């Protein structure tokens, strides 16, 4: 070749080569350092974690089972949709669900009229409960919602006990219902009901125990934790079902305090009642008789319990 070649002198070529190689090494080293930091968990951009859903989060509608309902919730995200409560978060916890009344109470009116001691007075063993104007019984509603909530809670790892599962000829009596939660040393107990007020009275409310110290009743130790449970339950029930708090009880808070319920007076574990709606109001009744809405009610109850037990 002639001296007019376009190739640079050898010395310049070697210097450029060294610089290129050095730059490549530095880039590789920098990338390796970032990867190392990510693996060690002290930097970088890790996979985005799920954050707990705020109390006002809207949930996707439940998928139907082809019959207008949601079946057992197998297609529903359940508590898993409340992202702060992963599966297994209730492992080791015991929850007692108390489906109000009994579908067969109406056939045992004499037995359920028997008076039992609730500490500060004596009241009927149980009552028949109410129904919608079309005949859908409160006792059927409460048992259905309890079954749905039980599946969701068990999916979270909880041990769930029902005070009755359609396996009693009547009742059980209100003092026996309280005793179930006490004997099982429940971490939380919820009695599920629907109200029977006048048409136009709408919405849900949660009943909290008053401070009662009389006879066999002493709620001193459970008043505060029961209020916490009730507040969590009301908040999640509102968010999931989008039902409004009662417009006739609780001054818009969705909370009511009572001292005349044996299921609360005789409880030694945190316990509340939830009246999911008014069966005698046509608009509320349309929700209560809808399987998809009942699945949402069960999910709201489940998330409220889960929030209480994991907070």
């Amino acid at each position: 070749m002639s001296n007019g070649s376009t190739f640079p002198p050898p010395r310049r070529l070697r210097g450029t080569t060294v610089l290129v190689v050095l730059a490549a090494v530095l880039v590789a080293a920098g990338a390796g350092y970032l990867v190392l930091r990510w693996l060690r968990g002290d930097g970088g951009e890790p996979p985005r974690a799920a954050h707990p859903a705020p109390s006002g989060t809207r949930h996707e509608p439940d998928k139907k089972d082809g019959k207008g309902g949601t079946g057992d919730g197998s297609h529903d995200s359940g508590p898993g949709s409340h992202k702060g409560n992963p599966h297994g978060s209730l492992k080791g916890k015991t929850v007692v669900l108390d489906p109000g009344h009994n579908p067969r109470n109406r056939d045992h009116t004499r037995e359920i009229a028997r008076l039992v001691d609730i500490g500060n007075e004596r009241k009927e063993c149980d009552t028949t409960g109410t129904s919608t104007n079309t005949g859908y019984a409160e006792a059927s509603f409460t048992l259905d919602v309890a079954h749905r909530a039980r599946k969701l809670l068990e999916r979270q790892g909880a041990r769930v006990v029902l005070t009755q599962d359609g396996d009693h000829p009547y009742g059980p009596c209100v003092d026996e219902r309280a005793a179930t939660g006490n004997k099982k040393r429940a971490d939380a107990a919820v009695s599920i009901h629907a109200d029977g007020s006048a048409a136009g009275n709408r919405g849900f409310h949660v009943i909290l125990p008053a401070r009662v110290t009389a006879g066999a009743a002493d709620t001193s130790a459970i008043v505060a934790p029961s209020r916490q449970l009730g507040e969590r339950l009301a908040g999640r029930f509102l968010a999931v079902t989008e039902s409004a708090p009662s417009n006739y009880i609780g001054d818009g808070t969705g909370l009511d305090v009572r001292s005349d319920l044996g299921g609360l007076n005789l409880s030694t574990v945190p316990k509340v009642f939830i009246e999911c709606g008014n069966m005698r109001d046509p608009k509320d009744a349309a929700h209560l008789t809808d399987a998809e809405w009942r699945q949402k009610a069960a999910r709201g109850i489940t998330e409220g319990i889960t929030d209480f037990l994991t907070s």
Side-chain angles (χ1 to χ4, degrees):
M1 288 191 163
S2 67
N3 291 335
S5 171
T6 59
F7 288 100
R11 182 178 299 276
R12 183 175 180 83
L13 176 62
R14 286 196 298 271
T16 301
T17 301
V18 169
L19 288 175
V20 171
V21 171
L22 180 59
V25 170
L26 288 175
V27 170
Y33 174 68
L34 291 175
V35 171
L36 178 61
R37 290 184 64 198
W38 184 85
L39 290 173
R40 290 171 55 187
D42 60 358
E45 181 68 18
R48 192 176 299 276
H51 296 284
S55 59
T57 297
R58 290 171 61 94
H59 295 266
E60 292 299 320
D62 299 298
K63 296 181 180 179
K64 295 185 178 181
D65 61 4
K67 300 178 181 179
T70 55
D72 63 1
S74 59
H75 298 295
D76 181 81
S77 56
S81 65
H82 187 34
K83 296 179 182 179
N85 301 320
H87 293 304
S89 63
L90 298 184
K91 185 177 181 181
K93 302 294 186 180
T94 297
V95 177
V96 167
L97 298 178
D98 177 27
H101 311 289
N102 184 317
R104 288 179 285 179
N105 275 359
R106 63 186 180 183
D107 300 324
H108 297 272
T109 54
R110 184 171 60 86
E111 289 88 347
I112 65 173
R114 176 172 60 87
L115 299 181
V116 298
D117 181 13
I118 66 167
N120 56 0
E121 61 177 303
R122 295 177 68 81
K123 292 189 72 172
E124 295 88 350
C125 156
D126 202 2
T127 64
T128 58
T130 187
S131 66
T132 66
N133 293 330
T134 58
Y136 181 55
E138 179 187 2
S140 298
F141 168 82
T142 64
L143 198 56
D144 180 79
V145 173
H147 285 163
R148 294 170 183 270
R150 176 174 62 185
K151 290 179 180 179
L152 296 175
L153 288 164
E154 288 178 341
R155 194 181 300 171
Q156 296 294 91
R159 175 196 180 203
V160 182
V161 178
L162 268 58
T163 58
Q164 61 94 8
D165 196 6
D167 52 353
H168 288 67
Y170 64 90
C173 296
V174 293
D175 55 341
E176 296 173 302
R177 291 172 185 267
T180 298
N182 300 343
K183 291 176 182 177
K184 300 300 181 180
R185 297 182 179 181
D187 296 287
V190 174
S191 190
I192 302 170
H193 288 262
D195 209 358
S197 187
N201 291 340
R202 297 196 61 198
F204 74 90
H205 65 277
V206 177
I207 304 173
L208 314 176
R211 187 175 297 274
V212 176
T213 53
D218 185 355
T219 62
S220 301
I222 70 163
V223 167
S226 295
R227 173 167 283 275
Q228 294 172 7
L229 170 60
E231 290 173 348
R232 299 300 179 96
L233 186 60
R236 293 311 308 163
F237 195 86
L238 170 64
V240 176
T241 67
E242 298 182 339
S243 297
S246 171
N247 64 4
Y248 63 102
I249 291 177
D251 297 322
T253 66
L255 301 174
D256 185 35
V257 178
R258 289 177 60 174
S259 62
D260 63 330
L261 297 175
L264 296 181
N265 287 3
L266 300 175
S267 181
T268 59
V269 301
K271 184 174 182 179
V272 300
F273 279 46
I274 182 167
E275 298 279 0
C276 297
N278 177 18
M279 299 198 98
R280 292 296 185 175
D281 177 80
K283 293 181 179 178
D284 271 11
H287 287 154
L288 299 168
T289 55
D290 179 68
E292 184 175 355
W293 189 91
R294 291 198 301 273
Q295 183 66 23
K296 290 182 180 181
R299 198 171 79 215
I301 291 170
T302 297
E303 290 188 7
I305 293 171
T306 303
D307 276 4
F308 170 71
L309 293 179
T310 58
S311 61

